[in-house]
């Protein structure tokens, strides 16, 4: 592997590297138990995990939509259909849009992924209880093997994503009363629902030797994601392994720019093109808002600062991986940009791009759910976002931008995109599977 890298780098003319390309190490991924993987697959596609049994993980992380939902901000529980065709079910109006873009799940199962969510509110931390930081009131009830296995038990509790609204179902009722852990908590209730289905009960008995607990469900979902959503063999990987013809000339020029003059690799670093860190790059803010700070309007989203309390972290968001990025539009934590070209151009002139953002680019299901443009209509909030930007502007020709986009598209593993196990025909609950 190392030799391949060195050979190929030597083949690139006059490379002046601001940062270094890194090949994927052969042991980048864990090898989950196959019985746990297939169990996790069923759970991932099964609406049984949602309070009103009308939405699955796959609804927002669908393989036909690059393991995301194809929307800037999605519609959670109460909706029906996938992607831009998603609409509201009769009498089940969701209360709000999901406040952030659904990230793709490619490679989040790799060993080096220890930070989850756009703001990193779940992460490995030796000082946290059981070694993983969780949001307040959502601490882990038992140890789990990865940050991913901890993350996946949280969407179940979100009223807008999967739980539903108090009065609609017992899970939502308990969430509304903040009864999460313990025998009568929302997590236990969800695990009981799963255990009540014989096929799930039998398989968990075989693997963990008891009725499933919520953390077992988390481990199964994580095992599936680790196995299914691996994207490790793109033209770029083949190129690094010594096949110089694998990368078309435009993508080769794009690679030189990416790691060189355009300095993309300073944040999108390493084998997965992320430093797993947080940066403020001024992506336009859309929708109901998320992490608020004292004195800020509800439609704001200050990102990482809401987790650390550190003013340095204001409007910082997690650096996304760029593997498979050609399949995962729209882009940014709010999904503001629908194309690779538009989000790359944003990076080159972040302030101007924020201030002149064309709202027609946002992909939002046409459902009246309050004002989506509070932040963008608020000059003060716009200036707050602008002031935090830490990305320098950069002059690149149109041809250079096209080359960078060609390089980004060469990070797609086309075979992985088809899936390994794929979408199940049906799931043990008998509920409908999104296809
Ligand atoms: C209604 C849509 C929706 C549903 C349903 C949903 N998610 Fe997500 N998921 C999101 C959004 C939005 C985020 C980002 C939230 C944030 O960062 O604040 C996310 C984040 C994640 C992440 C973190 C990825 C990363 O790069 O940090 C993982 C893993 C994940 N979801 C897995 C799941 C699993 C497993 C399920 C089912 C138990 C699920 N999701 C259900 C929308 C959804
Ligand atoms: C200062 C660190 C930094 C640098 C330098 C940087 N990026 Fe980013 N990039 C980010 C962050 C942070 C985000 C996500 C921002 C958000 O969600 O609000 C991002 C988002 C993206 C996305 C959207 C990915 C997605 O899944 O939403 C693409 C594509 C991208 N960057 C490409 C590039 C390219 C190409 C360059 C070089 C021209 C570059 N980046 C330079 C930090 C950086």
């Amino acid at each position: 592997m190392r030799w391949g890298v060195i050979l190929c780098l030597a083949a690139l003319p006059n490379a002046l590297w601001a940062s270094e390309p890194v090949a994927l190490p052969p042991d980048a991924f864990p090898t989950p138990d196959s019985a746990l993987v297939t169990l996790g697959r069923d759970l991932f596609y099964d609406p049984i995990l949602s309070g009103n049994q009308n939405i699955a993980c796959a609804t927002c992380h669908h393989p036909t939509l690059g393991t995301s939902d194809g929307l800037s901000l999605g519609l959670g529980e109460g909706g029906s259909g996938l992607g831009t065709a998603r609409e509201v079910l009769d009498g089940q109006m969701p209360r709000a849009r999901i406040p952030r873009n659904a990230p793709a799940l490619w490679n989040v199962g790799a060993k080096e992924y220890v930070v989850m969510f756009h703001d990193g509110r779940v992460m490995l931390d030796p000082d946290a209880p059981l070694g993983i930081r969780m949001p307040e009131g959502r601490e882990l009830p038992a140890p789990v093997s990865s940050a991913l296995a901890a993350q996946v038990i949280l969407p179940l509790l979100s009223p807008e994503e999967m739980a539903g609204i108090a009065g609609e179902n017992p899970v939502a009722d308990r969430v509304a009363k903040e009864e999460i852990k313990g025998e009568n908590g929302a997590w236990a209730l969800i695990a009981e629902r799963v255990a009540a289905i014989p096929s799930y009960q039998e398989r968990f008995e075989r693997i963990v030797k008891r009725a499933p607990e919520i953390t077992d469900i988390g481990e199964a979902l994580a095992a599936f994601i680790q196995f299914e959503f691996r994207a490790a063999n793109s033209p770029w990987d083949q190129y690094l392994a010594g096949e110089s013809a694998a990368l078309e000339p435009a993508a080769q020029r794009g690679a030189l720019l990416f790691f060189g003059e355009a300095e993309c690799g300073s944040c999108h670093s390493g084998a997965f093109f992320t430093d797993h860190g947080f940066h403020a790059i001024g992506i336009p803010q859309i929708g109901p808002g998320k992490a608020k700070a004292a004195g800020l309007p509800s439609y704001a989203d200050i990102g990482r600062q809401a987790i650390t309390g550190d003013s340095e972290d204001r409007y910082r968001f997690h650096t996304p991986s760029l593997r498979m990025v050609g399949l995962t539009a729209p882009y940014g934590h709010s999904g503001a940009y629908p194309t690779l070209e538009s989000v790359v151009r944003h990076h080159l002139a972040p302030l101007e791009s924020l201030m002149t953002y064309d709202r027609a680019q946002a992909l939002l299901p046409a459902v009246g759910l309050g004002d989506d443009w509070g932040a963008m209509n608020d000059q003060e909030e716009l200036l707050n976002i602008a002031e935090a930007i830490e990305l320098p502007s950069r002059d690149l020709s149109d041809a250079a931008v096209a080359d960078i986009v060609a390089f980004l598209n060469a990070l797609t593993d086309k075979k992985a995109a088809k899936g390994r196990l794929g979408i199940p025909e049906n799931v043990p609950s008998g509920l409908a599977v999104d296809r």
Side-chain angles (χ1 to χ4, degrees), residues 43-44 49 55-61 69 73-77 86 98-106 108 113 115-121 147-148 151-156 158 160-162 217 221-222 225 290 301 318 320 333:
L43 290 166
F44 187 84
L49 292 182
I55 185 167
C57 308
T59 313
C60 297
H61 298 287
D69 62 2
L73 304 175
L75 272 186
E77 107 61 58
R86 193 155 171 80
I98 305 297
R100 289 181 181 156
N101 178 257
L105 302 185
W106 301 109
V108 295
Y113 277 67
V115 175
M116 295 285 144
F117 285 121
H118 291 293
D119 54 17
R121 62 189 180 276
L148 177 60
Q151 192 283 344
V152 295
I153 63 172
L154 293 172
L156 310 173
S158 158
E160 288 79 20
E161 288 190 1
M162 294 183 84
I217 292 171
L221 287 167
I225 293 169
K290 169 88 182 168
D301 188 347
H318 187 241
H333 73 274

Side-chain angles (χ1 to χ4, degrees), residues 153-235:
I153 63 172
L154 293 172
L156 310 173
L157 304 175
S158 158
E160 288 79 20
E161 288 190 1
M162 294 183 84
I165 302 167
E168 288 179 345
N169 69 73
V171 173
D173 291 345
R174 286 172 205 196
V175 170
K177 285 190 265 175
E178 279 297 314
E179 290 171 14
I180 309 297
K181 285 181 279 185
E183 260 171 53
N184 295 313
W187 272 334
L189 190 59
I190 296 164
E192 276 164 33
R193 281 187 174 186
V194 169
I197 295 170
S199 152
Y200 283 132
Q201 169 70 12
E202 281 157 26
R203 288 150 81 193
F204 272 113
E205 281 282 356
R206 228 175 298 141
I207 300 167
V208 295
K209 316 285 180 231
R210 53 177 153 76
E213 290 171 10
I214 197 69
T215 43
D216 302 320
I217 292 171
E219 293 286 7
L221 287 167
F224 169 66
I225 293 169
Q226 284 164 352
F227 178 85
E228 184 75 0
F229 302 130
R230 271 180 207 195
N233 188 20
S234 63

Side-chain angles (χ1 to χ4, degrees), residues 101 118 258 262-268 278-281 283 315 317-322 325 328 330-334 340 343-344 347-348 390-391 394 396 404 408:
N101 178 257
H118 291 293
F258 187 96
E263 289 182 292
C264 312
S266 58
C267 299
H268 298 283
F278 301 86
H279 304 276
I281 68 162
I283 296 280
Y315 301 105
F317 292 90
H318 187 241
T319 311
S321 170
L322 299 179
V325 77
T328 64
Y331 304 108
H333 73 274
S334 61
L340 280 177
V343 73
V344 172
H347 279 71
L348 302 179
E390 47 189 297
L391 191 64
R394 210 176 280 285
L396 285 184
I404 289 177
L408 295 176

Side-chain angles (χ1 to χ4, degrees), residues 78-89:
S80 158
L82 286 176
T84 46
R86 193 155 171 80
E87 51 184 28
V88 171
L89 293 173

